Amino acid sequence: MLRGFYISANNIINQERALNVTTNNIANSSTAGYKRELSMPTTFEERLLLLRSRKNETGTIQYRTQDYTWTDTEQGTFEYTYKPLDLALRGNVFFNIEGRVSGERWLTRDGQFSIDGEGYLSLGTAGRILDANGQTIPLGTSDFTVSENGVITTEDGRTYTLGLTYVDEYTDMERYGDNMFRPYDGAQIGNIPADADYRVIQGAYERSNVDLGEEMVDAMAYQRNFEASAQALQIMNSINQIVANDLMKI
């Protein structure tokens, strides 16, 4: 009887966690540069229950957990604004940003840039964009062009090279906020392979890679599974009460 409690409760927790991930994706479907998260089921290393079937063969039940998420770095679609401060990236490269609060270096695909009060190229209040040498960019103007390989040329002839970091599509990422990341392997600025196919596009920014239809279907499936597990838990509880009452009568 207790096994039924464990299985139902375990699934309730898992479905709730998966639903939280999916609803967060839905909430950020309009966040520029957002990369959707996937809830990844894993099993405990320990086998918690060992059963014997009627044929006297051994089997196992492994309780699954949904406490691990994977960031899907697949490219999103582009929104063309034709504004000079909007930049998009095609390929597996990321902009580098110096966090305004932490001072740490983070990666982002959000290219909705601005010029801050001191004239530096920035991502709103999040921080300043870094060049190929890891330095902030004192642009001071919105009159500039950007080449496909990331060279910024201002109207008065100054040039800066955007600091881009290559991240393989299967690399695991640490998320910071909604649309900034850091690869666990410590990828550095300018590590772009010679054969990498990438391009900087001026006048556009990358939307999130969330498929709203797919996320809504997943959310409904998780909700139904959650409700089914909750109902199963109630049934188990009712059966347990009946058994307890019968034992009290003996």
Side-chain angles (χ1 to χ4, degrees), residues 11 26 30 33 45 50 56 61 78 88 95 98 100 131 151 161-162 190 198 200 203 207 213 220 247:
N11 200 47
I26 293 173
S30 60
E45 294 182 3
L50 182 63
N56 203 34
I61 289 180
F78 295 155
F95 298 112
E98 180 182 80
R100 190 177 301 277
D131 66 12
V151 177
T161 301
L162 284 169
Y198 76 96
V200 180
R207 300 190 186 105
M220 288 187 289
L247 288 174

Side-chain angles (χ1 to χ4, degrees), residues 161-196:
T161 301
L162 284 169
L164 302 176
T165 296
Y166 178 85
V167 178
D168 186 87
E169 59 181 329
Y170 300 111
T171 300
D172 201 3
M173 304 274 277
E174 175 188 359
R175 185 181 294 269
Y176 179 75
D178 291 328
N179 54 11
M180 288 185 284
F181 309 90
R182 180 169 57 194
Y184 287 113
D185 62 359
Q188 298 300 309
I189 298 177
N191 65 338
I192 304 174
D195 59 348

Side-chain angles (χ1 to χ4, degrees), residues 46-152:
E46 249 184 317
R47 294 177 176 179
L48 301 182
L49 284 176
L50 182 63
L51 305 177
R52 289 189 177 274
S53 70
R54 293 180 181 177
K55 294 182 180 179
N56 203 34
E57 295 174 348
T58 60
T60 60
I61 289 180
Q62 292 180 313
Y63 288 90
R64 303 183 73 80
T65 178
Q66 301 272 164
D67 58 357
Y68 176 72
T69 58
W70 174 269
T71 299
D72 177 9
T73 58
E74 182 181 4
Q75 183 173 289
T77 57
F78 295 155
E79 177 75 25
Y80 287 88
T81 63
Y82 305 101
K83 297 177 181 178
L85 284 166
D86 285 342
L87 302 179
L89 295 172
R90 188 179 299 280
N92 298 329
V93 292
F94 284 71
F95 298 112
N96 288 262
I97 179 173
E98 180 182 80
R100 190 177 301 277
V101 176
S102 65
E104 294 182 87
R105 179 174 67 92
W106 297 94
L107 308 182
T108 186
R109 294 278 293 202
D110 182 358
Q112 292 185 301
F113 298 151
S114 60
I115 305 297
D116 70 14
E118 297 180 37
Y120 288 89
L121 185 63
S122 302
L123 181 60
T125 59
R128 292 172 174 171
I129 307 305
L130 300 177
D131 66 12
N133 298 314
Q135 302 298 312
T136 52
I137 303 174
L139 207 55
T141 179
S142 59
D143 293 323
F144 64 91
T145 59
V146 184
S147 67
E148 291 188 350
N149 62 347
V151 177
I152 301 173

